[in-house]
Amino acid sequence: MLAERPRSLEQILEELKLARSRIAELEGRLADYSPQHAPGPSPYEPIFTNAPNPMLLVNREARVFRLNRAAARLANGDEEAIAGRVLGEVLHCESLAGGRECGQAGPCPSCPLRDALNRAVRDGKPIHGVQARLRVSGSPISQAYNYLVSVIPMPFGSKDGFLLSLLDVTEQLGTLERLRKSEEDYRLLVDNQNDLVVKVDLEGRFLFVSSSYCDLFGKTRDELMGQKFMPLVHEEDRDSTARAMESLFVPPHTTYLEQRAMTRNGWRWLAWSDKALLDDSGNVAAVVGVGRDVTQAKEAEQALRESEKRSRGQRAAIAELVLDSVVASGDLNSALDRLTEVTATAIQVVRAGIWLFSEDGSRLECRSLYDFLSGAHVPSHATLTAKDFPLYFDALHTDRRIHVEDVPADSRTKGLCEKYFIPLGISSLLDAGIVVKGKLAGIVSLEHVGEKRKWHSDEEAFASTMAAMAGQVLVNAERRRVENALLMNQFAMDRAMDGIFWVDDRGGLFYVNDAACAALGYSRDELLRMTVFDIDPDFPAGEWERHKEAMRKIGAMRFESRHRAKDGRIFPVEVSTNFFEYEGRFMACAFDRDISERKQAEERLRSLVDEQNILLNNIDAHVWYLKDPETYGAVNTAHARFFGKAKSMLENRPLREVLFSDEEVRFCVVGNRKVFKERRRIKTEELLRDGEGTPRLLEVTKTPKLNDDGEVEYVVCFAHDVTESKKMQEMMVETEKMISMGGIAAGIAHEINNPLGIVLQAAQNLAQRTRSDFPKNIQAAEAIGLDLGLLAEYMRCRKLDVFIEDIQSAAMRAAVIIRHMLDFSRRSESRRAVCDPERIVRNALALAQSDYDLKKEYDFRKISIELSVDDNLPSFNCTETEIEQVVLNLLRNAAQALAEAAPPVEDPRIKVRILGLPDGVRIEVEDNGPGIPAEIQARIFEPFFTTKAPGQGTGLGLSVSYFIITHSHNGEMHVKSSPGTGARFIVDLPANQETIS
């Protein structure tokens, strides 16, 4: 028998739906039956008695007067334990609290069972699908179950008796909860792994993408769902991808492919393991793919191939020169020309030259120069003297080798730039000393033109070999009358860095060089008595004839093998063999290079890369290495993501190619040099711009790594972004300052208010008592014989009436300032109500658009006002007049800024936005005026701070607005602006806040 397949969420819901339908049918058939009123046996009696789900008959007072067998089983078969009892004494609701029972009068809001019964009593209509968690009273196993309860008046429409039907859904609800939890766990697993996980349909459209896939491609899940993946694949890889997808339709329905895809960081190599999903009929329904970024491995393979390609060319060139008759001829000029030509061609360098020292060593003279681009030797009589370039000559005699990637930046070659390197466009240099009889006789010079070139170790070794051959050419030239070409070749091979073996047709060794003897630990005589099978444990003698035939067909072979030294040590070697015939006999020349260090380095590199990837790419902190004060080494993902670039765009690059400005480079280099110079850890803060140009403050710890000699090998940098924490500290300081200023404002206001009231009252009395139509004034004037008309004329002539009006106007204006100061320092006592933010803003706009001031030179009628409002804004409590005052102040400030802009704004515009937040409402007022400098933004909400001319502003408008929002409404208010880009004031108000008195 096949095992039962686990039920899905849809199947369980369908089962619940079917069960509820059957119960509803049964309940409907019983709806017209009431044993209390039936005159005799009813045909529905067996249905009621044997129904599979518990059923009870209760009266309108919730007292049970009949129950079926399933209900009796709830009480362990004791029907009398339930019949005649109040419902609340039989079934206890889990949500019931405080001892309240379903039998008591009145609705019980915490009991869904009693609530359903009350509604059925009230309306006389059936109540279905009420979910309740019930515990049966008196049951030996006191356990709560989840039920779907139906309450049906019996007969239908009556309010005398009621049928309660209970459907146990405990198991189904538990299964639903377990399924939901399982789906949540699965999604959590998929969304938090580093591998890429996708699911596509048969047409290649995304059905699912993991979070790692979205991060790699810089798209959201919504943007990818339903789209085809093929447009993301490189055009050259689409055919192979399509063939791989077709292979999924045949067993075993799996495939592996590698493809290039356009990600947020450019083209990347992705390796995919795909598996087809089959439906119940065995047909392919969808495809699930698990992928990984293998770009770094691909690049490493490419670098290895390039290295092998270079090595092949170099070995072929050496073999060519070893047997070259011109080199062996003893003709110095021809031999040197041949060396430079082969060297330039093999190493792909623009200029290859051989320079020889004068007898006294004071000069270097160019004897042969080959130009690779023109394919010809270039006549050159260039001469360099030790007197003019002492550093260069000293380096040659000391190191006998100079390899420089950037000639202007290296102290040894810097002096040659003006006279030699710059006119010829030379950027990189590799010199290998030619040694004859222990004395430096000259150099082989490789000169690269154009962009800087990094010299590889195999190129340095090849240059040294060419220098050794050049030395042999010089030796042959000195002894050309007594020596032949064979001696020259033998000398070159003896001095070569690789081991050289001459092999006869029986596999015996008849020549070995010094490097071969040193590597194997045998003397030359010992090796000449041995065969290749004695030194190569992987080369059986029985394979020799087959190997010779292969050599005759191919001519040259390259492979990796192993050598056994005299002390038993076995080490890996890279063997390059060349076949030739001498006097009709088979001969082979093998070049063996010990690759132990390379193998160890490759293993160390793989281990180091794995460890670094795990460590560096799974932390949020920035980590990078400095090779020198101005050059990156390796970087982690977080640091590369900060600049919005791939890691390869930072690693081994100068800081000036990564950082945003020269100022940032100079600041960082100063700190870096301090670490390299002082050789100690330092901490610093560096303000750098991220990939979007946004300034971010990094707290950086720089630690030097010292070698055994105490010198700095490299510097490890560890950084955290502290921009937000710094802003928070600044905000705390500003908040404390605002609180202090509020207290000062309150004190000043109270001190000024009393004398100001006396001034205002005296001005009003003076105006009142000089009126010519006031009865008491007339009476007093007549008593002393004063003509009030003449007095009034005198006051007009002397402008005393104007002075009195000015006193009153100034006193009233001062009173307004005092009121604003008190408002700033005193909590609002206005009553709150639920506010409509759109209505408040529209009222403020209506007031603003009727407001214009010719003296202040602004007019809302000449400004374009744009209002945008989000749908379904949350409600919040506020004092409407205060919020309206804040919006009006912001509108007036924006209008004044637009009017005062120099040069004038061509299209003055104010945008007002009302946005819904998850926990409140945001109001934004933005203008396209001249903007606000940073130094002003720091003080813009301070009381009495204003940039307007004297008499045009009190400096309290924004401070009062800030007080209303932050203190009276528990909100936030801030500004975002920069010169030339306008200003945007942002007001955030929390939803459903408590009223503050």
Side-chain angles (χ1 to χ4, degrees):
M1 177 180 293
L2 295 175
E4 182 181 358
R5 298 179 64 182
R7 294 178 296 172
S8 66
L9 179 62
E10 292 78 7
Q11 290 173 328
I12 293 174
L13 293 174
E14 185 63 27
E15 291 175 5
L16 281 174
K17 181 179 179 182
L18 182 60
R20 294 169 77 174
S21 174
R22 291 175 179 173
I23 295 301
E25 178 184 358
L26 179 60
E27 292 168 348
R29 295 170 64 183
L30 291 172
D32 295 328
Y33 164 66
S34 174
Q36 194 176 33
H37 298 88
S42 168
Y44 299 111
E45 175 66 23
I47 298 176
F48 175 80
T49 303
N50 298 298
N53 57 306
M55 291 186 176
L56 301 94
L57 294 173
V58 300
N59 57 22
R60 62 187 302 149
E61 285 78 22
R63 188 173 297 279
V64 180
F65 62 83
R66 190 172 179 81
L67 65 159
N68 69 349
R69 292 176 181 173
R73 283 196 294 271
L74 295 177
N76 201 23
D78 187 2
E79 187 173 340
E80 294 181 357
I82 297 179
R85 299 179 66 184
V86 176
L87 188 61
E89 300 175 352
V90 178
L91 298 176
H92 294 290
C93 180
E94 281 291 290
S95 61
L96 199 60
R100 301 188 65 182
E101 297 180 345
C102 294
Q104 69 183 61
C108 179
S110 62
C111 178
L113 185 60
R114 178 59 186 173
D115 179 67
L117 184 59
N118 286 337
R119 286 190 285 130
V121 171
R122 183 189 63 210
D123 302 333
K125 295 180 180 180
I127 306 298
H128 294 287
V130 177
Q131 186 172 341
R133 185 168 177 83
L134 305 176
R135 188 188 303 275
V136 180
S137 176
S139 176
I141 302 176
S142 181
Q143 183 175 356
Y145 294 88
N146 292 303
Y147 291 96
L148 290 179
V149 183
S150 297
V151 182
I152 306 170
M154 297 185 61
F156 189 77
S158 171
K159 299 183 180 180
D160 297 329
F162 300 88
L163 171 66
L164 268 70
S165 175
L166 310 178
L167 175 61
D168 188 351
V169 294
T170 304
E171 181 180 356
Q172 290 85 344
L173 291 179
T175 303
L176 287 173
E177 181 61 27
R178 288 193 296 275
L179 279 174
R180 291 191 186 96
K181 184 64 170 60
S182 177
E183 290 181 353
E184 291 175 0
D185 293 343
Y186 174 76
R187 184 169 294 277
L188 182 64
L189 174 64
V190 172
D191 283 347
N192 287 276
Q193 67 170 341
N194 292 330
D195 285 347
L196 314 175
V197 181
V198 299
K199 180 180 179 182
V200 299
D201 60 16
L202 300 185
E203 295 183 4
R205 289 188 292 263
F206 288 110
L207 302 177
F208 171 81
V209 289
S210 64
S211 298
S212 57
Y213 190 91
C214 296
D215 292 341
L216 179 63
F217 285 87
K219 296 179 180 293
T220 65
R221 185 174 280 116
D222 291 339
E223 290 174 335
L224 291 171
M225 295 300 288
Q227 301 296 321
K228 292 186 177 181
F229 74 88
M230 194 62 82
L232 299 174
V233 179
H234 196 285
E235 185 176 357
E236 296 178 1
D237 299 334
R238 291 178 184 174
D239 289 342
S240 60
T241 301
R243 290 193 298 271
M245 295 294 289
E246 291 174 0
S247 68
L248 292 171
F249 285 85
V250 296
H253 302 291
T254 60
T255 188
Y256 174 85
L257 71 149
E258 293 181 358
Q259 59 180 208
R260 286 162 290 180
M262 176 54 71
T263 69
R264 65 189 299 178
N265 297 323
W267 292 108
R268 305 289 293 176
W269 276 99
L270 304 179
W272 289 98
S273 295
D274 293 347
K275 180 177 180 60
L277 300 181
L278 307 182
D279 57 17
D280 294 337
S281 301
N283 297 322
V284 177
V287 176
V288 172
V290 178
R292 180 167 294 180
D293 190 334
V294 295
T295 306
Q296 190 173 5
K298 285 286 187 180
E299 292 174 349
E301 292 176 3
Q302 180 63 27
L304 182 59
R305 284 194 294 270
E306 292 176 356
S307 176
E308 293 175 348
K309 181 179 178 181
R310 290 194 303 269
S311 298
R312 284 197 301 271
Q314 295 164 15
R315 287 190 292 271
I318 293 173
E320 179 182 356
L321 291 173
V322 167
L323 302 176
D324 191 281
S325 59
V326 175
V327 175
S329 65
D331 184 343
L332 180 61
N333 293 331
S334 299
L336 294 182
D337 286 347
R338 185 64 174 151
L339 283 175
T340 54
E341 178 182 354
V342 173
T343 301
T345 304
I347 209 167
Q348 299 288 293
V349 69
V350 174
R351 292 159 58 92
I354 293 179
W355 298 62
L356 299 180
F357 278 103
S358 60
E359 291 185 4
D360 60 0
S362 63
R363 298 189 312 278
L364 264 178
E365 299 172 354
C366 183
R367 297 295 300 271
S368 177
L369 182 63
Y370 183 81
D371 187 283
F372 179 72
L373 297 179
S374 63
H377 287 88
V378 180
S380 176
H381 303 287
T383 301
L384 303 176
T385 63
K387 179 180 179 182
D388 295 333
F389 312 107
L391 294 179
Y392 177 70
F393 275 73
D394 289 344
L396 285 177
H397 284 286
T398 301
D399 301 330
R400 296 190 176 182
R401 180 188 299 176
I402 295 178
H403 55 278
V404 179
E405 182 178 348
D406 186 1
V407 292
D410 194 289
S411 60
R412 298 170 296 179
T413 56
K414 184 177 181 180
L416 282 77
C417 289
E418 183 176 353
K419 179 180 179 181
Y420 186 73
F421 292 139
I422 293 178
L424 297 175
I426 298 171
S427 59
S428 304
L429 179 70
L430 174 58
D431 288 347
I434 301 173
V435 179
V436 176
K437 297 181 180 181
K439 182 180 178 182
L440 187 64
I443 59 171
V444 173
S445 181
L446 308 181
E447 301 167 349
H448 180 73
V449 177
E451 296 293 330
K452 294 187 292 293
R453 174 170 175 171
K454 181 178 181 181
W455 303 103
H456 299 278
S457 58
D458 58 277
E459 295 172 331
E460 296 177 18
F462 178 73
S464 297
T465 301
M466 293 298 99
M469 285 192 169
Q472 185 63 39
V473 168
L474 294 178
V475 172
N476 290 343
E478 293 177 358
R479 297 168 14 184
R480 61 183 177 272
R481 296 176 182 167
V482 293
E483 296 181 1
N484 56 31
L486 180 60
L487 294 177
M488 180 192 69
N489 293 339
Q490 181 176 344
F491 184 83
M493 290 187 293
D494 286 344
R495 298 296 180 89
M497 296 182 66
D498 292 338
I500 301 177
F501 300 82
W502 289 88
V503 185
D504 61 23
D505 57 351
R506 294 174 298 176
L509 304 177
F510 67 90
Y511 172 79
V512 293
N513 70 344
D514 296 342
C517 297
L520 295 173
Y522 291 101
S523 68
R524 193 183 306 274
D525 291 339
E526 289 175 323
L527 281 175
L528 294 180
R529 292 193 296 268
M530 301 171 67
T531 66
V532 293
F533 321 119
D534 297 326
I535 64 173
D536 191 337
D538 299 329
F539 196 171
E543 294 292 325
W544 176 244
E545 293 301 326
R546 185 183 304 175
H547 179 72
K548 288 199 301 182
E549 291 302 319
M551 286 285 293
R552 285 190 175 96
K553 293 179 181 179
I554 300 174
M557 297 180 65
R558 183 182 62 83
F559 54 89
E560 289 187 6
S561 186
R562 297 187 301 164
H563 279 180
R564 182 189 290 113
K566 185 176 182 179
D567 59 6
R569 177 177 54 90
I570 296 178
F571 56 93
V573 293
E574 185 179 68
V575 181
S576 298
T577 63
N578 294 272
F579 157 77
F580 65 96
E581 288 188 358
Y582 179 72
E583 295 182 352
R585 294 182 59 188
F586 173 90
M587 296 289 179
C589 180
F591 297 86
D592 293 4
R593 177 173 295 180
D594 186 345
I595 58 174
S596 300
E597 291 185 2
R598 192 181 82 185
K599 289 291 186 181
Q600 294 171 3
E602 290 174 354
E603 184 61 31
R604 289 196 300 270
L605 178 61
R606 282 192 293 270
S607 176
L608 180 61
V609 168
D610 292 340
E611 293 175 2
Q612 286 183 341
N613 286 340
I614 294 173
L615 174 64
L616 298 180
N617 297 324
N618 290 278
I619 60 175
D620 293 331
H622 298 227
V623 182
W624 67 92
Y625 298 97
L626 290 173
K627 299 170 64 175
D628 56 60
E630 300 181 17
T631 309
Y632 273 114
V635 303
N636 73 337
T637 303
H639 194 58
R641 190 187 305 118
F642 175 84
F643 293 106
K645 298 181 178 180
K647 291 170 54 178
S648 60
M649 299 176 68
L650 276 70
E651 292 177 336
N652 302 314
R653 299 292 182 89
L655 270 64
R656 63 177 178 272
E657 295 182 9
V658 178
L659 301 186
F660 192 85
S661 64
D662 293 339
E663 182 179 358
E664 294 179 3
V665 173
R666 286 193 297 271
F667 182 84
C668 294
V669 168
V670 169
N672 297 342
R673 287 175 176 168
K674 184 177 181 181
V675 180
F676 277 89
K677 180 179 180 181
E678 299 181 3
R679 294 177 292 180
R680 64 179 180 86
R681 176 186 299 178
I682 66 169
K683 290 185 178 181
T684 182
E685 290 183 349
E686 298 178 356
L687 186 64
L688 305 179
R689 300 191 187 186
D690 60 18
E692 298 179 355
T694 303
R696 306 293 295 179
L697 185 63
L698 299 183
E699 185 178 76
V700 186
T701 301
K702 301 179 180 180
T703 306
K705 171 64 172 65
L706 306 180
N707 58 19
D708 296 338
D709 298 328
E711 299 297 326
V712 178
E713 289 185 359
Y714 55 85
V715 171
V716 180
C717 299
F718 190 87
H720 286 285
D721 190 335
V722 296
T723 307
E724 302 303 328
S725 61
K726 287 291 184 180
K727 289 182 179 179
M728 184 61 67
Q729 294 176 6
E730 294 173 0
M731 289 177 62
M732 293 175 63
V733 172
E734 289 300 319
T735 301
E736 291 296 326
K737 183 165 63 174
M738 293 295 290
I739 293 173
S740 300
M741 292 300 296
I744 295 172
I748 294 174
H750 281 293
E751 290 296 325
I752 296 177
N753 209 22
N754 291 333
L756 183 63
I758 296 173
V759 171
L760 184 59
Q761 183 179 6
Q764 290 174 345
N765 288 335
L766 184 60
Q768 186 74 11
R769 295 186 182 190
T770 56
R771 288 173 52 183
S772 59
D773 57 345
F774 196 74
K776 287 187 177 182
N777 292 348
I778 296 173
Q779 183 179 357
E782 289 177 352
I784 62 175
L786 177 64
D787 188 342
L788 287 178
L790 292 176
L791 177 61
E793 185 63 23
Y794 173 78
M795 293 183 67
R796 281 192 297 272
C797 290
R798 298 296 295 165
K799 296 184 179 180
L800 295 179
D801 55 344
V802 176
F803 294 158
I804 294 173
E805 289 178 3
D806 289 341
I807 293 172
Q808 289 179 313
S809 176
M812 291 298 294
R813 184 168 178 271
V816 171
I817 295 174
I818 294 302
R819 186 175 69 251
H820 284 322
M821 291 170 63
L822 290 174
D823 287 343
F824 176 80
S825 60
R826 185 185 304 134
R827 287 184 176 269
S828 174
E829 298 179 356
S830 303
R831 298 186 62 184
R832 303 292 177 83
V834 177
C835 298
D836 180 2
E838 182 177 359
R839 181 166 58 83
I840 292 174
V841 172
R842 290 190 181 278
N843 289 343
L845 284 172
L847 291 173
Q849 288 172 338
S850 63
D851 179 23
Y852 63 96
D853 189 335
L854 296 179
K855 184 180 295 185
K856 297 179 180 178
E857 298 181 348
Y858 73 88
D859 187 351
F860 275 97
R861 295 174 298 184
K862 298 180 180 179
I863 300 174
S864 174
I865 307 294
E866 300 177 10
L867 174 63
S868 61
V869 183
D870 278 358
D871 296 329
N872 302 320
L873 293 172
S875 61
F876 67 105
N877 296 324
C878 75
T879 303
E880 289 191 7
T881 56
E882 292 182 349
I883 303 302
E884 183 176 312
Q885 175 187 350
V886 172
V887 177
L888 186 58
N889 281 344
L890 296 179
L891 290 170
R892 286 174 173 168
N893 282 350
Q896 292 173 7
L898 290 168
E900 296 169 0
V905 178
E906 295 181 0
D907 182 20
R909 196 167 57 251
I910 298 176
K911 295 182 180 180
V912 183
R913 306 180 187 90
I914 308 176
L915 309 171
L917 302 177
D919 55 351
V921 175
R922 171 171 289 180
I923 300 174
E924 296 182 354
V925 178
E926 181 179 7
D927 63 71
N928 62 339
I932 305 172
E935 62 273 13
I936 294 179
Q937 292 183 41
R939 302 186 59 195
I940 198 168
F941 295 118
E942 292 182 6
F944 308 112
F945 178 79
T946 178
T947 60
K948 299 181 177 66
Q952 293 187 7
T954 63
L956 289 173
L958 285 177
S959 61
V960 171
S961 299
Y962 183 89
F963 171 82
I964 290 172
I965 297 302
T966 58
H967 287 68
S968 298
H969 290 80
N970 289 336
E972 295 181 359
M973 184 175 180
H974 56 281
V975 62
K976 291 185 177 181
S977 176
S978 58
T981 61
R984 177 161 58 103
F985 285 82
I986 301 171
V987 174
D988 289 341
L989 295 168
N992 298 322
Q993 60 175 327
E994 295 294 331
T995 300
I996 301 173
S997 61

